[in-house]
Amino acid sequence: MLTTRFADGAPNWIDIATPDIAGAGSFYGDLFGWRFRSAGPDAGGYGFFQLDGRTVAGGMQTDPGQGPPAWTVYFRTEDARATAEAAEQARGRVLRQPTDVMGQGRLAVLADRAGVTFGVWQPGLTKGVEAANEPGALCWVELYTPDIAAAAAFYHKVLGLETSAGPFPGGTYTCVNPSGADDAVFGGMVPLADAPAEAEAGAGPYWLPYFEVEDADAVADLAQRLGGTVRLPPTSVPGVGRMAKLADPYGVRFAVIRSESPQD
């Protein structure tokens, strides 16, 4: 389960690059109840999405030369530079060198062997998001990749992540957890070829964030009315919950889920 008790290797931040931060703020505000707050004049347009006063994500406006609109998932590290070096040694790439962020922490943006972008965050004053695994907050991350074995080896070497096979309707699911914490599964890995919703023209491998919601059907319907796209209609998965895969008006992919609780 994803929590704010961040372990090394677990997701601790997420942010969006979008061509229209005001439009994105309006979309996610209507969808999840978020409010966008600027990080100040020295932050280059970066700001925070907040839910009931707690930060749940970051975001900024970018132009086409800075890459396509997307959510980026960041994973906790004690040493951003060492993690960046490990990524290069594992045949990944460093897209943004480790950088101090106004005393709040240190970040680097990397790519795995398949070219999937992800970030690492070395906590300073900011430890990470302030809410997780509750309605309107990040609750799960999923890697769509052409080669699960290669991805598992890469993320184990770089972040210390461990994988295990879990039961799933029609087969098994590759679960991901921090090193030595098999009770702290926070995500999974899925073969890109086996995911119809991901097999869109030109779509490549990537990390997909899931946000918890109280009603996946209502959120999917609202997303469409707000100019977004339903990529996978609301679907119930026994033992998991009811989920939908969506895209915002700028093509940024994400998913929502109404998770099943033990009593369900």
Side-chain angles (χ1 to χ4, degrees):
M1 182 174 68
L2 199 154
T3 77
T4 54
R5 298 188 302 275
F6 307 114
D8 283 348
N12 64 345
W13 191 255
I14 185 170
D15 63 19
I16 191 171
T18 176
D20 183 352
I21 192 63
S26 177
F27 175 82
Y28 291 103
D30 289 343
L31 205 64
F32 297 139
W34 294 355
R35 290 181 177 274
F36 184 75
R37 178 175 66 83
S38 170
D42 297 328
Y46 196 87
F48 306 107
F49 291 103
Q50 296 189 319
L51 178 67
D52 299 328
R54 296 171 298 163
T55 298
V56 292
M60 71 178 297
Q61 187 162 310
T62 56
D63 60 45
Q66 295 173 281
W71 281 106
T72 298
V73 179
Y74 293 76
F75 300 84
R76 188 188 191 280
T77 178
E78 283 288 341
D79 188 332
R81 182 162 298 282
T83 303
E85 291 173 353
E88 287 186 309
Q89 293 167 4
R91 294 195 291 162
R93 290 182 295 139
V94 177
L95 304 179
R96 179 175 177 181
Q97 292 291 337
T99 306
D100 290 316
V101 184
M102 299 163 56
Q104 300 302 309
R106 191 168 173 82
L107 70 78
V109 180
L110 314 172
D112 68 18
R113 290 172 56 180
V116 178
T117 299
F118 68 101
V120 293
W121 178 256
Q122 177 185 329
L125 294 175
T126 296
K127 308 305 179 186
V129 295
E130 296 172 338
N133 206 45
E134 62 180 74
L138 184 69
C139 65
W140 190 257
V141 296
E142 205 164 55
L143 176 65
Y144 289 87
T145 178
D147 188 335
I148 286 184
F154 175 88
Y155 287 99
H156 179 72
K157 183 171 184 179
V158 176
L159 296 173
L161 301 185
E162 298 174 346
T163 57
S164 59
F168 196 77
T172 59
Y173 183 81
T174 301
C175 301
V176 183
N177 59 268
S179 178
D182 55 4
D183 60 344
V185 172
F186 62 74
M189 296 182 179
V190 179
L192 187 61
D194 294 348
E198 314 309 323
E200 304 158 359
Y206 73 111
W207 279 101
L208 178 72
Y210 280 70
F211 299 98
E212 186 71 32
V213 294
E214 294 181 345
D215 187 333
D217 294 76
V219 170
D221 179 66
L222 178 57
Q224 273 194 309
R225 289 190 278 115
L226 293 171
T229 304
V230 176
R231 301 170 49 245
L232 180 72
T235 303
S236 292
V237 181
V240 176
R242 189 161 177 81
M243 53 161 286
K245 294 180 180 179
L246 312 173
D248 71 15
Y250 312 100
V252 179
R253 298 170 290 190
F254 66 101
V256 296
I257 186 169
R258 196 279 187 185
S259 302
E260 286 191 9
S261 61
Q263 57 265 39
D264 289 337

